[in-house]
Amino acid sequence: MISVRGVRKAFGSATVLDGIDLDVHSGEVVSILGSSGSGKSTLIRCMNGLEKLDGGRITIDDFDVSRPKELSEARKRSATVFQLFNLYPHMTAVQNIALAPVEVLKIPRKQAEADARTLLDSVGLSARADAFPAQLSGGQRQRVGICRALAMKPRYLLLDEITSALDPEMTSDVLAILAKLAHDGTTMVFVTHEIEFARTISSRIVFLDKGQLVVDLPTAEFFAADGGMAKPRIAQFLSKMRKD
Amino acid sequence: MRYTAFTSYDIILLAQGLSVSLALFLATTIIGLFIGSLWAVIRFYRIPVLAQVVAVIAEVLKNSPVLVQLFLVFFGLPAFAKINVTPVEAAVITLSGNTAAFVYVIAVSAIESIGRDQIEAARVFGLSRWQVLRRIIAPQAMAFAIGPLTGLLVNQLQVTSLISVIGVVDLTKIGNILNLRTLKPFIVWAVVGGLYYVMAKLVAFGGAKLEKRLRAHTAWKGL
């Protein structure tokens, strides 16, 4: 379980996260919605230990990400897919995927690369396995990014606006992969602006506004609330996103 | 009567001078690359005290004339530290330090040109600092740095000619000896200059080949 308790984070005088409480259980797909600057990406960066907390506590399977000795264990259980891919440009797709399994999980290189090719095949990229990131399209890069995360066989997948840099066609390719992962029972925390997709695959929706968690509801309940009982801020957000 | 004609022995002398210059260049390049890169890593990881110390040393070395540094080492070490150094030792210390200072500057900018997002990604996947340095930073920093480094090494090759003033019998010193004996400066210095030119072109050629290999991953192939 990922447990977020009373998390606070500020950059200078700007408070980005203000007392966030959230639990993500095994098998759940939790989508985090909210407008730009609401703290969604910062929350993901706090979960994977990239940002130091100013208050509160985050644990992944009881390993505290704020404690250096426990962070590596927490990171072995979770993997992140980034908005701008963050691939290593000097390595081919296969090498990008196999790097962490070889270096961190100590899997023999040949086996790690064979596993990487299998993963690339599963996302339709077997023909591009030996291409460098600069030779791939945005959608292909993001699929490599997803494979890189899956290669670590994580219990939790953290996805930070992974379709925001892609065109609609590439977005649908990537979302199809996520839908399959969700169907297979992969636990995911999914920061997104893809409202309809979040509605389709999520078990729960969390809505952040100005660094505060406004609601944490089962998906059906969240969208039903849009009908008039919704908190005005959520209704406004959903209406705007649908217009966009 | 003064004997001013060239002899076949002059070719051996030139070859000896050339080998001394080359050996000093290679030795000081290897030492300078190692020390300069190490300083850059110290700076990258912001190791307290050491980072400030290397910054000051590099600043002094790259902003003072090599000849002055050479004199300070050759005459200063025996005078102030009671350490006697041979001309070759003084040349190795000075040129290595000077090369290291410029390698440091190049390596720092090469490391800083690597996107932090990649380093973050590697850390998130559990790679240690050492693994990040070895697998992510070093290969890319080398690709970024190889162009400026090649330029630096071509320059440092020419700088080796300064060591003749403290008595190292390098290519320039041999040129001086031949010039004084033959009284044919245009021929002697043209040959010596030509040899430096060939060495410099070989360094530049090697650098360009290495750069092409290290940057094979970039899509950018120029206009």
Side-chain angles (χ1 to χ4, degrees), chain A residues 29-43:
Chain A
V29 176
V30 176
S31 288
I32 303 177
L33 303 183
S35 51
S36 295
S38 59
K40 309 182 297 293
S41 293
T42 304
L43 181 56

Side-chain angles (χ1 to χ4, degrees), chain B residues 4 29 46 48 99 113 124-125 127 132 140 151 170 191 196 221:
Chain B
T4 58
T29 295
R46 290 179 165 69
T99 304
S113 66
V124 157
F125 283 107
L127 271 72
V132 171
Q140 292 185 79
D170 70 333
V191 170
Y196 275 112
K221 303 292 180 198

Side-chain angles (χ1 to χ4, degrees), chain A:
Chain A
M1 183 177 86
I2 299 177
S3 166
V4 178
R5 285 285 166 274
V7 164
R8 283 187 296 107
K9 176 71 191 170
F11 295 106
S13 59
T15 300
V16 181
L17 296 175
D18 190 8
I20 303 288
D21 290 307
L22 175 67
D23 286 331
V24 180
H25 298 94
S26 200
E28 278 190 316
V29 176
V30 176
S31 288
I32 303 177
L33 303 183
S35 51
S36 295
S38 59
K40 309 182 297 293
S41 293
T42 304
L43 181 56
I44 289 280
R45 288 175 64 82
C46 289
M47 284 179 180
N48 60 27
L50 283 176
E51 299 291 349
K52 281 185 182 172
L53 306 184
D54 293 323
R57 188 166 182 251
I58 296 178
T59 58
I60 296 180
D61 287 347
D62 296 328
F63 291 103
D64 190 334
V65 300
S66 299
R67 293 186 180 160
K69 283 183 183 169
E70 295 181 32
L71 178 59
S72 61
E73 282 303 319
R75 281 176 167 167
K76 278 182 192 166
R77 286 161 170 76
S78 64
T80 306
V81 183
F82 297 89
Q83 182 179 6
L84 296 175
F85 328 126
N86 296 17
L87 298 178
Y88 317 122
H90 59 300
M91 295 181 183
T92 62
V94 161
Q95 290 167 341
N96 261 280
I97 297 164
L99 177 68
V102 170
E103 297 285 343
V104 180
L105 304 180
K106 305 299 176 196
I107 294 172
R109 181 174 305 281
K110 273 192 174 176
Q111 191 194 324
E113 293 196 351
D115 293 347
R117 285 179 195 279
T118 307
L119 279 168
L120 284 169
D121 191 35
S122 72
V123 297
L125 278 181
S126 52
R128 308 295 286 146
D130 297 310
F132 290 105
Q135 297 163 332
L136 300 172
S137 69
Q140 290 173 331
R141 284 183 216 182
Q142 197 54 289
R143 279 184 272 168
V144 173
I146 293 170
C147 290
R148 180 173 65 172
L150 294 176
M152 294 299 284
K153 299 184 173 61
R155 297 188 66 177
Y156 309 98
L157 206 50
L158 309 176
L159 306 125
D160 184 11
E161 295 192 45
I162 64 168
T163 58
S164 62
L166 306 179
D167 67 31
E169 197 179 350
M170 290 174 179
T171 298
S172 64
D173 287 349
V174 170
L175 293 182
I177 294 164
L178 295 189
K180 184 176 179 304
L181 289 173
H183 184 259
D184 294 345
T186 308
T187 309
M188 290 192 271
V189 181
F190 186 42
V191 169
T192 186
H193 287 297
E194 301 287 338
I195 301 291
E196 286 312 313
F197 184 73
R199 182 179 201 156
T200 312
I201 70 159
S202 309
S203 38
R204 269 164 56 214
I205 303 282
V206 167
F207 186 82
L208 295 186
D209 189 32
K210 293 174 186 161
Q212 293 188 324
L213 196 153
V214 181
V215 292
D216 177 355
L217 290 171
T219 305
E221 223 173 294
F222 179 88
F223 284 99
D226 187 21
M229 297 181 295
K231 292 195 176 190
R233 178 69 190 93
I234 299 172
Q236 183 194 15
F237 172 78
L238 290 175
S239 152
K240 186 169 186 319
M241 292 306 289
R242 282 176 178 141
K243 272 183 209 161
D244 290 346

